[in-house]
Amino acid sequence: EVQLVESGGGLVKPGGSLRLSCAASGFTFSSHSMNWVRQAPGKGLEWVSSISSGSGGYIYYAESLKGRFTISRDNAKSSLYLQMNSLRAEDTAVYYCVRGEGDILNWFDSWGQGTLVTVSS
Amino acid sequence: DIVLTQSPDSLAVSLGERATIKCKSSQSVFYTSNSRNYLAWYQQKPGQPPRLLIYWASTRESGVPDRFSGSGSGTDFTLTISSLQPEDVAVYYCQQYYSTLSTFGPGTKLEIK
């Protein structure tokens, strides 16, 4: 069974940083592209970032992030990460770790339960 | 970015009746090289993460009831629930993966009439 478990969320002040982690199990982690998708309270889904399978040589970010976030993966640990810097109130959301199916152009076939990030003073 | 719009924003359908949700893309998401539409549909129930229903615009994910179907091509797509069940109450989203910068539609809230 595919499992994706996010951690690292919490309350952070504007301008602060957080690092989200996602522990994956139940599948060959290195064979799948991985993604972060977020959902602000009461709002819709927003794709954040994608990293390709294997060594993760292809990385993409939503333009709205303007270089503040960095996605990475550690295949030896079956883990996905999201380093978030210069956080703003509008980054407040549940962040989902999502497995991609297909190549880098992928649909999202398995989702974690999410971790809540709250940016507030 | 490719912008997806959905209609309606919300709808109420009687149990056993058909529900139809539309998704329109600002540009075609059809790749001629493989004749595929890079569009997926998701269902999200309150307090839960989204669940994949449909990919390639019309391919049902394993385990998804066959009352769910997807259709369309190019810029116009439809998710149809043929006979609404109580457990289908949810918000439904379309997603395009034609671009490396994926985007979602704003969602359609489906309720029981």
Side-chain angles (χ1 to χ4, degrees):
Chain A
E1 179 193 4
V2 174
Q3 285 202 331
L4 299 166
V5 180
E6 303 94 338
S7 60
L11 176 63
V12 60
K13 289 182 168 54
S17 298
L18 272 182
R19 188 192 195 210
L20 304 184
S21 299
C22 171
S25 61
F27 66 101
T28 304
F29 181 75
S30 60
S31 297
H32 287 263
S33 56
M34 295 297 297
N35 310 268
W36 290 98
V37 174
R38 69 183 181 183
Q39 186 169 35
K43 302 298 184 182
L45 302 172
E46 180 185 17
W47 170 78
V48 171
S49 182
S50 295
I51 185 167
S52 59
S53 60
S55 62
Y58 295 94
I59 288 175
Y60 303 94
Y61 299 98
E63 292 180 354
S64 62
L65 299 179
K66 296 183 179 178
R68 297 183 296 120
F69 289 11
T70 303
I71 191 172
S72 61
R73 66 189 298 159
D74 184 337
N75 292 333
K77 295 182 178 180
S78 295
S79 292
L80 177 72
Y81 306 101
L82 186 68
Q83 177 67 43
M84 304 187 296
N85 299 328
S86 303
L87 284 162
R88 306 166 179 169
E90 54 264 36
D91 296 317
T92 295
V94 173
Y95 285 73
Y96 294 104
C97 171
V98 187
R99 188 179 81 165
E101 187 58 60
D103 200 352
I104 190 63
L105 301 178
N106 56 104
W107 61 94
F108 303 152
D109 70 341
S110 296
W111 297 63
Q113 290 296 313
T115 187
L116 176 62
V117 172
T118 303
V119 184
S120 175
S121 54
Chain B
D1 288 9
I2 297 176
V3 176
L4 300 179
T5 56
Q6 290 184 229
S7 61
D9 295 335
S10 64
L11 78 161
V13 175
S14 300
L15 290 174
E17 296 299 306
R18 178 184 301 259
T20 301
I21 298 169
K22 295 193 177 296
C23 175
K24 188 174 183 65
S25 176
S26 61
Q27 67 181 75
S28 176
V29 296
F30 179 77
Y31 261 112
T32 55
S33 58
N34 59 5
S35 297
R36 290 189 182 274
N37 287 284
Y38 283 56
L39 188 111
W41 289 96
Y42 301 84
Q43 174 194 65
Q44 187 178 30
K45 298 180 180 180
Q48 296 184 19
R51 171 197 182 192
L52 174 68
L53 297 176
I54 303 281
Y55 56 95
W56 295 137
S58 61
T59 301
R60 200 179 303 114
E61 171 73 336
S62 175
V64 173
D66 59 8
R67 63 180 182 273
F68 290 90
S69 64
S71 63
S73 184
T75 61
D76 294 281
F77 301 90
T78 301
L79 175 69
T80 301
I81 307 172
S82 60
S83 176
L84 192 70
Q85 301 301 304
E87 61 268 30
D88 300 336
V89 170
V91 179
Y92 292 84
Y93 297 93
C94 55
Q95 175 225 358
Q96 64 79 18
Y97 50 99
Y98 179 91
S99 167
T100 52
L101 307 184
S102 184
T103 50
F104 289 91
T108 294
K109 186 175 184 179
L110 176 59
E111 299 173 316
I112 305 294
K113 185 185 292 183

